[in-house]
Amino acid sequence: MGEIVVERQTPAAEREWAANPRDTEAALGWQLERVGSTAWQDWSLKFQRMAFGYAQDSGWHDPADALQWLDHHALLHEGEAPRGALVWYQAADRVRVACSLGSGQVVGPLPRGQVATAALADLSTDYVWSDPHFPFGH
């Protein structure tokens, strides 16, 4: 008789995440090159996914779906977001995501309809942040 082998699944919070195709500084540069564009209105999640180098769908329906998944996997943090972190916030009756520039500043498609930089405190006082992981991205 052979032995039974049981594989232990490592919880998502303990896994080593693969590096994004585009590193933090390159992702921020990609975003800053698009400041002023209105082409990304209401596509804040897609914008962030593409900024970090993922061409295919993220596997999440929208930022609210992503936020719920990240919360369920204990991947959200409170406090000041470090440079390159994804910042999840509530504005205009929906969850949105931007990228932290550090020092309380973010970049991304903002509620007023264009890619811009802004003080996070001007957008929302209700936010959390996560590392820029797209576990289903390609």
Side-chain angles (χ1 to χ4, degrees):
M1 301 266 307
E3 291 182 9
I4 297 175
V5 177
V6 177
E7 289 186 40
R8 181 181 172 268
Q9 290 286 338
T10 304
E14 295 177 20
R15 275 189 219 135
E16 289 281 331
W17 292 98
N20 291 320
R22 194 175 284 139
D23 69 23
T24 297
E25 293 308 314
L28 288 171
W30 186 93
Q31 294 182 65
L32 291 170
E33 289 172 3
R34 285 153 180 81
V35 166
S37 172
T38 57
W40 299 94
Q41 185 175 2
D42 297 326
W43 289 357
S44 63
L45 180 60
K46 181 176 183 177
F47 184 81
Q48 294 304 326
R49 173 179 51 82
M50 299 223 20
F52 282 92
Y54 294 97
Q56 300 295 321
D57 190 22
S58 66
W60 293 315
H61 179 67
D62 58 25
D65 186 35
L67 184 64
Q68 184 177 22
W69 188 93
L70 292 164
D71 184 41
H72 180 75
H73 290 87
L75 295 171
L76 295 174
H77 310 280
E78 294 182 352
E80 188 170 331
R83 185 172 177 85
L86 298 179
V87 179
W88 306 87
Y89 65 99
Q90 182 81 28
D93 297 329
R94 69 171 63 162
V95 173
R96 298 177 180 267
V97 60
C99 192
S100 174
L101 292 166
S103 301
Q105 298 289 310
V106 295
V107 62
L110 301 181
R112 61 181 172 259
Q114 65 182 2
V115 175
T117 61
L120 180 56
D122 292 342
L123 298 174
S124 179
T125 57
D126 184 19
Y127 71 90
V128 291
W129 64 270
S130 69
D131 291 320
H133 295 307
F134 298 88
F136 310 112
H138 303 298

